Amino acid sequence: MTIVTNPGKRAATRETILDHAYALARRDGLEGLSIGGLAADVGMSKSGVFAHFGSREDLQLAVLDTGRQRFLTQVLLPALKQPRGLPRLRAIVANWFEWSHEHQSGCVLLSAASEYDGRDGALHDGVVQQQAGWRDELQKAITQAVGLGELRTDTDVAQLAFEIYALMLGLHHDAGLFGFDEAGRRTRAAFERLWRSWQT
């Protein structure tokens, strides 16, 4: 006898598990995830969780990808509605500020970079791919601003992307220690100087 499962229900259950896993990873990092702990949190058996994720590493990779998708949905996609050039680049940064505010108590993407930067394996490679992909998006927006004459023709695109990323890391760091309002004020001032330094 063949047992037919409801693919819609299965997908919904998987999303529920990922929602819980993502929340746990924000608090404890990807290394803090365990099949047993997640099963207890969701109210399922360990075998039930294993049916959706064959291993702990598969679960961690899925949570990392969930973080990537949520970040792009909140930060990049709304910015694409803005005109190319500095308006879009500024919108990306503004949305990133909001993301940092909402995730000041724990960001899966940043904690994963700290957890796996010195390791080998699929999780390290996944983090590198996610981070490199985001740098590419920043460089694309910067290149468009250069092409439109809103940034200097001699703009070092990779350098500016690095500086944007560095300022956002500083925001996340200081927001957790000293509060978001003060960290945000200083980071916004730093961004205004950064834009001026590269403008024509």
Side-chain angles (χ1 to χ4, degrees), residues 96 135 138 142 156-170 187 190-191 193-195 197-198:
W96 201 349
R135 296 288 180 94
L138 288 175
I142 294 166
D156 185 331
V157 173
Q159 179 63 31
L160 180 50
F162 174 86
E163 291 174 4
I164 291 170
Y165 202 98
L167 286 178
M168 294 307 299
L169 286 178
T187 306
F191 264 111
R193 287 197 300 273
L194 181 64
W195 301 138
S197 71
W198 291 100

Side-chain angles (χ1 to χ4, degrees), residues 70-161:
R70 292 183 181 188
F71 180 82
L72 293 177
T73 297
Q74 184 171 338
V75 176
L76 179 64
L77 295 186
L80 296 180
K81 298 176 183 178
Q82 299 299 317
R84 292 184 177 188
L86 274 180
R88 182 174 297 180
L89 194 55
R90 283 180 174 272
I92 288 172
V93 170
N95 295 341
W96 201 349
F97 263 77
E98 290 301 316
W99 172 274
S100 295
H101 193 193
E102 294 174 17
H103 292 77
Q104 58 184 309
S105 61
C107 175
V108 170
L109 302 179
L110 289 182
S111 63
S114 299
E115 288 175 299
Y116 301 107
D117 59 350
R119 304 188 184 190
D120 294 324
L123 282 160
H124 169 271
D125 294 346
V127 171
V128 170
Q129 183 178 18
Q130 182 271 321
Q131 295 285 333
W134 182 235
R135 296 288 180 94
D136 287 345
E137 292 295 343
L138 288 175
Q139 291 187 36
K140 184 186 301 182
I142 294 166
T143 299
Q144 291 170 349
V146 173
L148 290 168
E150 295 173 342
L151 295 174
R152 298 199 316 259
T153 56
D154 65 343
T155 296
D156 185 331
V157 173
Q159 179 63 31
L160 180 50

